[in-house]
Amino acid sequence: MKSDIPLPSHRGNRFYQGGVATVVANALQAVNFLGDRFLRKSHHSFSAIEDLYRHSMDSAFSVTEAFLVTGAPHASAYYPRDFAWFYPDVLDPETIMDAQDAVRRVRLLESSVRLLLEAVRAGIVTTTIVIVPAGRGRYLGVNYFSRPSDTLLGILAGLQQMISAEDRAASHLAMSQCVHAGRLLLAEYGGDLKRAILQLASELESFDADGTRYLLCDASGPRSAATDTRAERRRFVTNACVYTTFVWGMQLGIVAENELKRLLGRDLAQYKTDLLRLFGKDGYIRHSLEGPASSPASSVALDFVSVHRGFWDMSDASERALFAATTDLIIAEPRFRIPGTFHFLVSPENPRNKMIHKIAAPAYQGRSCWPTFNVEFADRMLDYDEFVGGDTYRAWSQGILKDIRTATEIHGGYQELISEQGLKYRTWAYKGAVAHSWFPRFLSVWRRAYGRPLLRWIDEESSR
């Protein structure tokens, strides 16, 4: 495979929304789940972590793929937010096996981000873009459960990763080409992103509590985030993602703070302080303000860790105190963990079950373990330790990663979900997906937690 990466030409992609698009998209998702239920077979019998990783990378970054996919049964659905939540280390050099692997990753990342930017230009900012098998270059823009709040965050994360590739110590030519492609995309679509970010800022709603006026993106209705099937209003993670969208938009030079301040009526520092005061008024970060107050452990959820380099920067003592208090609640509550392991569940109970959850994913947002959330939990713990200059949570971080490695080897791949019994996540329609694309992030955090890489790759082409 050549090292140079030809940039794909614009093929006139078409995006569709509306009632018909939603019906078709839901039908496609049903077919995907049914296909997984009856047709999925084990593709390999590897047990060694090295073999599992190589197989995963060959699958996740296959030259036959049009864009990055998770390996889940709904993989034909394109989730823009995943670039923030699940793919932040696709270009980490220590996770790249060789020059060909680097080329495949850069090509898929560039084509994926370009497609998302074309959707934004077309005025479609959704939770999911689903491919329609009715013709090349046709896509359905569909929101599942609620309006999106973190799609733009995912797009910005993809751009950030492309542009910051030059900051990584890598010898692959593909990395420098990725930086160039990212800058071209930012220049071409920056105006479209600015318009979308300012629209998001203008949609924030007033929420009055304790005589103070706050701004929330979901004060009157739910908006999607990484765990969108909760369908709740006034969620911490949803609003933290919006804040991070604004910060990243400023960092990339897409929008100026004074433009955001004019719409928000406050600067971003105050906006963040307000969110911490509102959701942390009990001394820990409450998952959602909706519904009656419950016990502290039942009021928090693992997704409070937000995204890599996102809401939590640990620079303020009060912020660190809230993080530590919430973390300690989760660690101390037995219902948050698969017995005998460091696998943390999303929450101590299922928040709500709809009919579709009983068929496809009844415990998806409650009594189940998302390995990717656990990896981010471990990484935030390391963030905290780094800022306080201690090792308060390092052992916990290492325990999380060690158990995820064990589960990966036992189950034959990096699972998207693990059941509360520590088994493959299985429901009638969801047999348990191998989340190939999420594997690199695990390796990146392992290196940070243990001070050494889990796997070492020798690029024969570079060593000649």
Side-chain angles (χ1 to χ4, degrees):
M1 183 179 293
K2 295 182 179 179
S3 294
D4 58 316
I5 306 168
L7 299 181
S9 59
H10 178 75
R11 293 189 294 266
N13 292 321
R14 297 182 181 181
F15 302 92
Y16 303 90
Q17 282 186 309
V20 173
T22 299
V23 170
V24 174
N26 286 327
L28 286 172
Q29 296 289 58
V31 169
N32 290 332
F33 273 102
L34 292 174
D36 178 75
R37 173 65 177 83
F38 294 109
L39 301 177
R40 181 183 286 269
K41 298 179 180 179
S42 176
H43 299 292
H44 57 83
S45 58
F46 306 136
S47 59
I49 194 74
E50 296 89 346
D51 295 333
L52 288 167
Y53 185 75
R54 183 174 291 280
H55 171 79
S56 294
M57 295 304 94
D58 288 343
S59 299
F61 306 109
S62 169
V63 294
T64 63
E65 295 289 355
F67 48 75
L68 282 172
V69 297
T70 66
H74 50 282
S76 66
Y78 198 15
Y79 292 87
R81 62 172 177 257
D82 284 0
F83 291 97
W85 281 94
F86 307 127
Y87 309 146
D89 280 323
V90 167
L91 300 184
D92 181 351
E94 291 194 1
T95 74
I96 296 175
M97 299 180 295
D98 51 40
Q100 291 186 355
D101 186 24
V103 170
R104 293 198 306 262
R105 295 191 193 196
V106 169
R107 178 183 287 116
L108 277 177
L109 182 60
E110 194 277 340
S111 61
S112 299
V113 173
R114 178 178 290 275
L115 178 59
L116 296 177
L117 290 171
E118 289 177 6
V120 172
R121 174 166 288 179
I124 295 181
V125 180
T126 69
T127 303
T128 309
I129 299 175
V130 184
I131 291 181
V132 180
R136 192 175 183 183
R138 288 180 169 83
Y139 301 87
L140 296 178
V142 178
N143 290 324
Y144 292 100
F145 303 103
S146 54
R147 298 173 62 206
S149 60
D150 51 5
T151 295
L152 290 173
L153 179 68
I155 297 173
L156 295 179
L159 273 174
Q160 270 191 339
Q161 185 162 184
M162 294 178 70
I163 293 172
S164 64
E166 65 181 351
D167 300 329
R168 298 181 181 272
S171 59
H172 303 301
L173 175 62
M175 301 293 257
S176 61
Q177 293 177 327
C178 185
V179 174
H180 178 66
R183 288 172 176 166
L184 290 177
L185 289 175
L186 181 59
E188 182 178 356
Y189 294 97
D192 304 293
L193 285 171
K194 178 178 180 177
R195 181 174 61 254
I197 292 172
L198 293 179
Q199 180 180 346
L200 178 62
S202 69
E203 292 174 350
L204 299 186
E205 306 168 306
S206 295
F207 179 73
D208 296 325
D210 303 322
T212 302
R213 175 179 172 271
Y214 300 93
L215 288 177
L216 300 178
C217 70
D218 54 355
S220 60
R223 296 189 69 146
S224 67
T227 50
D228 57 4
T229 51
R230 286 181 178 272
E232 293 169 318
R233 301 177 300 162
R234 305 167 193 167
R235 293 175 56 200
F236 170 75
V237 64
T238 312
N239 287 278
C241 282
V242 171
Y243 165 82
T244 307
T245 299
F246 297 153
V247 172
W248 288 1
M250 288 173 47
Q251 291 175 351
L252 287 169
I254 295 170
V255 62
E257 183 171 11
N258 63 341
E259 295 174 298
L260 291 169
K261 184 176 181 179
R262 185 167 59 249
L263 291 171
L264 302 178
R266 64 203 71 184
D267 58 32
L268 285 184
Q270 185 60 50
Y271 176 47
K272 178 177 180 177
T273 298
D274 290 345
L275 291 177
L276 288 172
R277 180 186 302 117
L278 180 62
F279 287 94
K281 61 183 179 181
D282 296 320
Y284 54 86
I285 295 297
R286 184 174 173 181
H287 162 72
S288 173
L289 303 179
E290 187 176 32
S294 54
S295 67
S298 296
S299 297
V300 302
L302 187 60
D303 59 11
F304 89 100
V305 293
S306 194
V307 299
H308 178 48
R309 296 180 180 175
F311 185 88
W312 298 100
D313 61 23
M314 306 293 177
S315 60
D316 182 80
S318 60
E319 178 180 323
R320 292 194 298 273
L322 280 173
F323 175 85
T326 311
T327 296
D328 292 344
L329 277 174
I330 292 174
I331 289 175
E333 174 52 65
R335 291 179 298 164
F336 261 108
R337 290 164 64 190
I338 296 173
T341 75
F342 288 84
H343 286 301
F344 289 92
L345 308 175
V346 176
S347 65
E349 65 237 352
N350 284 324
R352 61 182 68 184
N353 283 328
K354 297 182 179 180
M355 181 60 69
I356 191 171
H357 302 150
K358 296 177 181 179
I359 298 172
Y364 200 68
Q365 310 303 336
R367 302 294 299 168
S368 59
C369 168
W370 282 54
T372 187
F373 281 1
N374 276 259
V375 169
E376 291 308 317
F377 192 29
D379 200 44
R380 293 300 82 70
M381 290 180 181
L382 296 174
D383 286 341
Y384 178 90
D385 282 355
E386 182 178 293
F387 272 89
V388 301
D391 286 317
T392 305
Y393 297 116
R394 181 169 296 275
W396 287 96
S397 178
Q398 292 175 340
I400 289 171
L401 300 170
K402 182 179 179 181
D403 280 348
I404 290 176
R405 173 187 176 171
T406 300
T408 300
E409 293 177 324
I410 289 174
H411 299 315
Y414 192 89
Q415 298 295 299
E416 182 183 18
L417 293 164
I418 298 175
S419 75
E420 62 180 304
Q421 291 80 32
L423 305 174
K424 280 187 177 182
Y425 189 84
R426 292 179 182 274
T427 65
W428 185 87
Y430 199 121
K431 294 176 64 176
V434 179
H436 301 311
S437 301
W438 304 356
F439 213 154
R441 177 66 177 146
F442 165 73
L443 291 189
S444 296
V445 180
W446 179 286
R447 171 69 174 82
R448 186 183 184 193
Y450 284 92
R452 61 184 184 277
L454 174 61
L455 302 174
R456 293 182 184 273
W457 305 103
I458 299 177
D459 186 349
E460 296 180 0
E461 181 177 323
S462 299
S463 61
R464 289 173 183 170

